[in-house]
């Protein structure tokens, strides 16, 4: 092919920087999560998954699978078009009603992914605000960055979770200029939480709109799984909530929720909503089943937090350096892309444990890490096996361990 060498040399560059990505070929086993089959180069092998964003195991919940199968059987596989052209199906309308109720907003709009909801939602909202300036947290996800870029308006980046810096930037703007503050409730690489109420205080003081990404918190935190803003009593202070149906809710799709006008405007102006086929009815029904279940069932949330603290204490007791986090995300800093990849490869090949390496550009260079995500379905024996495997691998790739006697103190 003409120009082929450009592509192959781009790949050579990635290999040289040790950030060429290799995907593990996995087959999840419904009903046995976190067990899976790894289709390794040497044939199929059993593994335990420790890095899934199916945080609560809802992807295998009988109610969710049941809704999906039953709906597909009745309504077929695809949606049949964009929402405008024959794609609005009843389960999708019901899903949006469910989201309205979950987040206590006037309206909600579903997209084909959380990525698209940020990318097209942010761009559309900002473009409809005359002379808008966007204030975006430095650690915001790539989907937010792309949304901001597409908006084509002025942007200011505030230092991660630094409200003093945010205030400085807000104060420098003319009082009547439309401002849009964008942040995440829970940052998924460090597992830290935004100071939601302090950000809302500033938004009120300086007349800014608030847009929160609750992708890593909806379903898992707050009353009925409504998220961190709800937990902090700040739901009414947030103008737009964005979330995914693919993480705690175990399915696929994204959404925004807010006032009737902002949602109707995005529905009417956002290209990433208008010009793409709607989610299939079966996926909508499955997501609705997951949301409904998590609204009334506290078991998954409690067990999730209990498992996360269990993993942290077992790993700490084994002398492993666990980055402190107040959430279910357990980052283990490696700080070297090669060692990070090697540790992950050894865990998979020799211990049947799957934790993929997190390297640049997902995290800054020098902060490469393994990111462990316990679920309600990881049992004590699996936690112990994880600790033993990590101790072995840490020794082999020459990463520091605390002395066990010290760790026990
Ligand atoms: C995963 C993620 C998204 C995108 O959601 P998808 O439904 O997977 O497309 C958006 N924001 C953040 C912070 C994410 O981590």
């Amino acid at each position: 092919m003409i120009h082929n060498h450009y592509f192959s040399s781009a790949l050579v560059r990635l290999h040289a920087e040790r950030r060429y990505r290799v995907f593990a070929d996995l087959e999840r086993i419904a009903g046995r999560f976190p067990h899976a089959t790894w289709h390794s180069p040497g044939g199929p092998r059993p593994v335990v998954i420790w890095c899934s964003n199916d945080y609560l195991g809802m992807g295998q919940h009988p109610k969710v699978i049941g809704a999906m199968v039953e709906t597909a059987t009745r309504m077929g596989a695809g949606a049949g078009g964009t929402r405008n052209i024959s794609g609005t199906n009843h389960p999708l309308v019901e899903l949006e009603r469910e989201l309205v109720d979950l987040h206590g907003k006037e309206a909600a709009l579903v997209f084909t992914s959380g990525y698209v909801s940020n990318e097209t939602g942010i761009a559309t909202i900002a473009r409809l605000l005359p002379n808008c300036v966007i204030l975006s947290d430095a650690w915001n996800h790539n989907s937010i960055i792309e949304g901001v870029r597409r908006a084509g308006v002025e942007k200011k980046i505030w230092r991660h979770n630094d409200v003093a810096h945010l205030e400085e930037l807000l104060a420098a703007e003319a009082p009547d200029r439309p401002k849009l503050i964008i942040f995440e409730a829970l940052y998924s690489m460090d597992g830290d939480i935004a100071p939601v109420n302090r950000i809302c205080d500033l938004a009120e003081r300086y007349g800014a709109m608030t847009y929160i990404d609750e992708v890593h918190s909806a379903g898992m935190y707050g009353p009925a799984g409504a998220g961190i803003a709800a937990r902090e009593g700040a739901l009414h202070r947030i103008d737009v909530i964005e979330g995914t149906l693919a993480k705690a809710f175990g399915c696929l799709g994204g959404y925004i929720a807010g006032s009737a006008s902002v949602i109707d405007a995005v529905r009417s102006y956002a290209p990433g909503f208008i010009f793409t086929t709607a989610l299939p009815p079966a996926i909508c029904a499955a997501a609705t089943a997951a949301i409904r279940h998590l609204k009334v069932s506290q078991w998954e949330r409690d067990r999730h937090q209990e498992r996360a603290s269990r993993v942290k204490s077992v790993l700490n007791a084994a002398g492993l350096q666990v980055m402190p986090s107040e959430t279910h995300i357990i980052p283990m800093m490696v700080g070297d892309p090669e060692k990070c990849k090697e540790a992950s490869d050894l865990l998979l090949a020799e211990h049947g444990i799957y934790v993929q390496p997190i390297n640049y550009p997902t995290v800054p260079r020098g902060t490469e890490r393994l990111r462990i995500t316990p679920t309600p379905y990881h049992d004590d024996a699996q936690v112990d096996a994880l600790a033993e495997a990590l101790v072995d691998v840490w020794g082999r790739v020459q990463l520091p361990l605390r002395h066990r006697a010290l760790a026990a103190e």
Side-chain angles (χ1 to χ4, degrees):
M1 188 190 78
I2 189 168
H3 299 323
N4 217 27
H5 63 285
Y6 288 114
F7 302 105
S8 45
S9 59
L11 293 169
V12 168
R13 287 198 298 276
L14 283 185
H15 281 289
E17 291 179 26
R18 304 287 171 233
R19 57 187 189 93
Y20 178 77
R21 293 169 191 237
V22 181
F23 300 148
D25 179 355
L26 295 171
E27 186 177 321
R28 307 214 306 166
I29 307 164
R32 293 200 60 223
F33 183 69
H35 289 284
T37 301
W38 173 38
H39 292 273
S40 81
R45 289 174 53 183
V47 294
V48 173
I49 299 177
W50 272 105
C51 55
S52 179
N53 280 346
D54 184 359
Y55 292 122
L56 300 178
M58 291 307 289
Q60 67 159 16
H61 196 285
K63 284 185 192 168
V64 176
I65 299 171
M68 183 177 269
V69 171
E70 191 270 335
T71 307
T73 307
R74 270 194 306 132
M75 303 185 193
T82 64
R83 290 289 291 274
N84 192 39
I85 304 173
S86 92
T88 287
N89 54 79
H90 188 59
L92 182 42
V93 175
E94 282 187 320
L95 170 59
E96 287 175 344
R97 279 193 200 129
E98 202 60 47
L99 291 164
V100 162
D101 181 66
L102 176 68
H103 292 301
K105 294 290 172 193
E106 288 172 8
L109 190 68
V110 167
F111 302 80
T112 45
S113 73
Y115 192 99
V116 172
S117 64
N118 273 334
E119 186 186 46
T120 202
I122 290 168
T124 304
I125 291 166
R127 274 199 238 113
L128 291 172
L129 295 168
N131 189 31
C132 171
V133 56
I134 293 177
L135 298 111
S136 183
D137 184 286
W139 286 15
N140 277 341
H141 187 257
N142 178 270
S143 55
I144 296 176
I145 295 169
E146 286 301 319
V148 171
R149 203 170 274 165
R150 242 161 238 241
V153 305
E154 194 184 351
K155 66 154 196 258
K156 305 227 161 134
I157 311 296
W158 42 296
R159 286 189 297 272
H160 174 58
N161 275 353
D162 182 341
V163 283
H165 189 214
L166 173 61
E167 174 152 33
E168 213 176 281
L169 297 177
L170 283 165
E173 296 299 329
D176 58 350
R177 183 175 190 188
K179 304 166 197 81
L180 176 61
I181 301 175
I182 307 178
F183 62 108
E184 296 180 26
L186 192 163
Y187 290 84
S188 70
M189 292 300 145
D190 284 49
D192 57 331
I193 288 177
V196 179
N197 270 308
R198 286 194 289 149
I199 292 169
C200 291
D201 290 343
L202 292 179
E204 279 161 24
R205 192 171 313 148
Y206 292 94
M209 235 180 113
T210 49
Y211 182 110
I212 196 170
D213 176 316
E214 292 255 20
V215 161
H216 293 278
S217 41
M220 290 172 279
Y221 295 84
I228 296 283
R231 188 187 78 175
E232 308 292 306
L235 210 45
H236 62 289
R237 312 177 81 188
I238 297 288
D239 296 308
V240 179
I241 294 184
E242 183 272 342
T244 183
L245 304 167
K247 289 169 186 169
F249 299 124
C251 297
L252 181 73
Y255 62 88
I256 56 171
S259 75
S261 316
V262 72
I263 298 303
D264 202 18
V266 173
R267 183 186 73 88
S268 309
Y269 282 94
F273 172 80
I274 297 171
F275 298 104
T276 190
T277 298
L279 278 189
I283 290 179
C284 298
T288 302
I291 297 166
R292 280 187 187 151
H293 176 80
L294 289 174
K295 270 183 188 168
V296 294
S297 173
Q298 185 61 28
W299 180 84
E300 285 83 359
R301 281 186 286 278
D302 290 346
R303 171 90 177 158
H304 188 215
Q305 294 300 316
E306 186 275 327
R307 292 286 85 190
S309 42
R310 168 105 195 163
V311 171
K312 286 175 203 170
S313 62
V314 170
L315 298 191
N316 266 316
L320 291 150
Q321 306 259 6
V322 178
M323 280 169 66
S325 96
E326 43 181 332
T327 62
H328 61 281
I329 299 197
I330 305 178
M332 303 210 35
M333 195 58 82
V334 176
D336 177 288
E338 225 152 327
K339 283 186 181 183
C340 197
K341 169 98 176 59
E342 200 186 335
S344 167
D345 287 347
L346 284 170
L347 284 170
L348 184 60
E350 300 193 12
H351 297 276
I353 285 174
Y354 178 52
V355 191
Q356 107 275 27
I358 311 268
N359 283 352
Y360 177 85
T362 308
V363 293
R365 289 184 213 271
T367 72
E368 293 81 5
R369 66 196 69 181
L370 298 182
R371 173 181 172 273
I372 294 164
T373 55
T375 73
Y377 299 97
H378 286 90
D379 64 25
D380 285 351
Q382 286 162 348
V383 176
D384 294 343
L386 173 70
E388 274 175 40
L390 283 169
V391 168
D392 172 56
V393 166
W394 249 229
R396 288 168 60 187
V397 302
Q398 291 169 1
L399 283 164
L401 282 171
R402 284 197 321 276
H403 193 274
R404 269 174 198 260
L406 284 175
E409 273 172 17

